[in-house]
Amino acid sequence: MKVAKFGGSSVASAAQFRKVADIVSSDIERRIVVVSAPGKRYKDDVKVTDMLIQLAEQIVAGEPHEETMEAIVKRYADIANELGLEADGFLAELVDDLQSKISAYRSEPPRLFDAMKASGEDHNARLMALYLQDCGLEASYVSPLEAGIIVTDEPGNAQVLPESYDKLKQLRERRGVLVIPGFFGYSRSGHIVTFPRGGSDITGSIVAAGVKADVYENFTDVDSIYCVNPSIVADARKLKEITYREMRELSYSGFSVFHDEALEPVYRAGIPVCVKNTNNPAAPGTWIVAKRNHIDEPVAGIASDTGFCSINISKYLMNREIGFGRRVLQILEDEGISYEHTPSGIDNMSIILRADQLVDGKDERILARIREELAVDEVTIEYGLALIMVVGEGMEKTIGMAAKATTALADANINLEMINQGSSEVSMMFGVKEDVVNEAVRALYNAYFQQATVSHLS
């Protein structure tokens, strides 16, 4: 059995629906299909999920929302009409469902946003099931509630509960192709709760683990996962395979192909993942597996992301002060702030975090509390940082990996703001200024992949 998840670009239009139907019908093992909401059809298009968020915002603000509602319904109507489907009943149900959710949750904005966002995937799954039936397949829509996807009651941040897996296992006994909407589940109290944005990947992974699938296929709009963002490096190398651990590190650090939280269920279940292209299904894609051969390619990939800042703290004899780090992190916790890295020395400590968390005066409050409560010599915040992660399970047993990176950056005349390597040696983090991050990524790519290719050929 295969579980196939199709992302937003794969289900954005009637033409994409036809491709999905061809893919599903070409392999009888593709028994479960998980779909996203319709994504962008072209560069300046608007995703249905963004339209639904706008709808919720207008309702909460008490603003007119009829135009947005009509635009959402039109997106589905356009797909149905181009597919030649008799969809009057479907469209009427769509409008009724949105209106009933608005009535139910108008006074509870977090619930309203979750209900609106989830409806994008939900109605797309219903429409996909109708189309597959029209194509002659035995297909049926299965809601997350019917499937048994029970989650924690944290609007916008659902976590699957263990009891879901026993219920999901029963889907193996169902006949035909099952179409399940991604992105959301139901709390024990019956509320719709969404996963973090991009959560259709999470649904697909949960379902694959629950039904004990042989393969989880994740269809998107690229032939493979690249070892670096192809918009930064032209003709970037495609990856044939990558490990769960490497993919998790790269996804968290900026890779957008696969949601970073989506790997945990299939990783636990030992189910291989194949990332494939809806627009070119014959391409072999990239396999995400438990182990790979690291001998020739110790580095799996390079990821980068911007929007970071660093809180830099200096205090003489900091290393002798028991509990210093804990008290610093307690101040961040009090302000509701999470951090990414904490590189440190004997008299200094840096805390790397997302800069967009420092709003409503939090930056000044944090600086003041650190000065007053910890009596530090100096504390500052440095903005405009980018982080680059070099990831590979083979780095641990390969000499000179860090030296290769620092040499490449020095040769490119790029100043390193910081460097941090985890104890597992699966990844190395480099901090640079945002305005040189792409140049830094290209320098690292050349050092780890281009030079390696030349060496291998020679």
Side-chain angles (χ1 to χ4, degrees), residues 84-121:
L85 296 175
E86 291 292 336
D88 289 347
F90 163 77
L91 295 172
E93 288 178 6
L94 166 59
V95 174
D96 288 345
D97 182 64
L98 289 174
Q99 294 287 15
S100 67
K101 286 180 169 63
I102 291 168
S103 298
Y105 296 121
R106 187 186 294 270
S107 61
E108 299 179 79
R111 298 280 187 207
L112 177 65
F113 274 91
D114 265 14
M116 290 294 100
K117 289 187 293 183
S119 69
E121 272 75 7

Side-chain angles (χ1 to χ4, degrees), residues 129-148:
L130 285 175
Y131 179 59
L132 293 179
Q133 292 166 10
D134 191 67
C135 291
L137 294 175
E138 183 180 4
S140 57
Y141 159 83
V142 180
S143 78
L145 184 61
E146 182 186 354

Side-chain angles (χ1 to χ4, degrees), residues 3-11 16 19-24 30 32-37 121 124 128 182 200-201 216-220 276-278:
V3 171
K5 179 261 175 181
F6 293 89
S9 63
S10 299
V11 290
Q16 294 302 94
K19 292 175 185 177
V20 170
D22 288 342
I23 290 168
V24 173
R30 292 187 177 115
I32 298 179
V33 173
V34 176
V35 298
S36 296
E121 272 75 7
N124 219 30
M128 180 62 72
S200 290
D201 286 347
Y216 170 36
E217 295 179 315
N218 193 287
F219 282 88
T220 179
K276 293 178 70 67
N277 190 351
T278 305

Side-chain angles (χ1 to χ4, degrees), residues 199-343:
S200 290
D201 286 347
I202 300 175
T203 299
S205 184
I206 290 168
V207 172
V211 301
K212 301 188 184 302
D214 297 296
V215 176
Y216 170 36
E217 295 179 315
N218 193 287
F219 282 88
T220 179
D221 54 6
V222 292
D223 281 353
S224 303
I225 297 173
Y226 294 88
C227 64
V228 67
N229 187 337
S231 69
I232 297 176
V233 177
D235 300 319
R237 185 184 299 186
K238 297 176 181 177
L239 294 172
K240 294 180 180 178
E241 61 180 10
I242 187 172
T243 68
Y244 298 117
R245 196 176 181 189
E246 290 167 337
M247 192 68 232
R248 154 83 170 140
E249 291 267 0
L250 288 167
S251 296
Y252 181 75
S253 305
F255 268 37
S256 60
V257 173
F258 206 90
H259 194 285
D260 66 290
E261 292 183 27
L263 285 173
E264 199 270 341
V266 287
Y267 163 72
R268 298 290 180 195
I271 297 169
V273 179
C274 189
V275 177
K276 293 178 70 67
N277 190 351
T278 305
N279 304 313
N280 185 21
T286 298
W287 286 90
I288 306 174
V289 293
K291 295 181 180 180
R292 70 174 179 89
N293 180 2
H294 303 114
I295 296 174
D296 294 330
E297 294 184 349
V299 173
I302 302 167
S304 61
D305 204 0
T306 57
F308 294 93
C309 67
S310 175
I311 300 176
N312 303 315
I313 306 168
S314 297
K315 186 176 184 180
Y316 190 63
L317 296 179
M318 181 189 294
N319 66 312
R320 301 287 298 275
E321 192 169 331
I322 295 172
F324 184 90
R326 175 187 57 78
R327 284 184 286 159
V328 172
L329 297 181
Q330 183 63 56
I331 292 172
L332 295 183
E333 183 179 345
D334 292 345
E335 292 288 345
I337 288 176
S338 63
Y339 68 95
E340 310 291 322
H341 304 276
T342 55

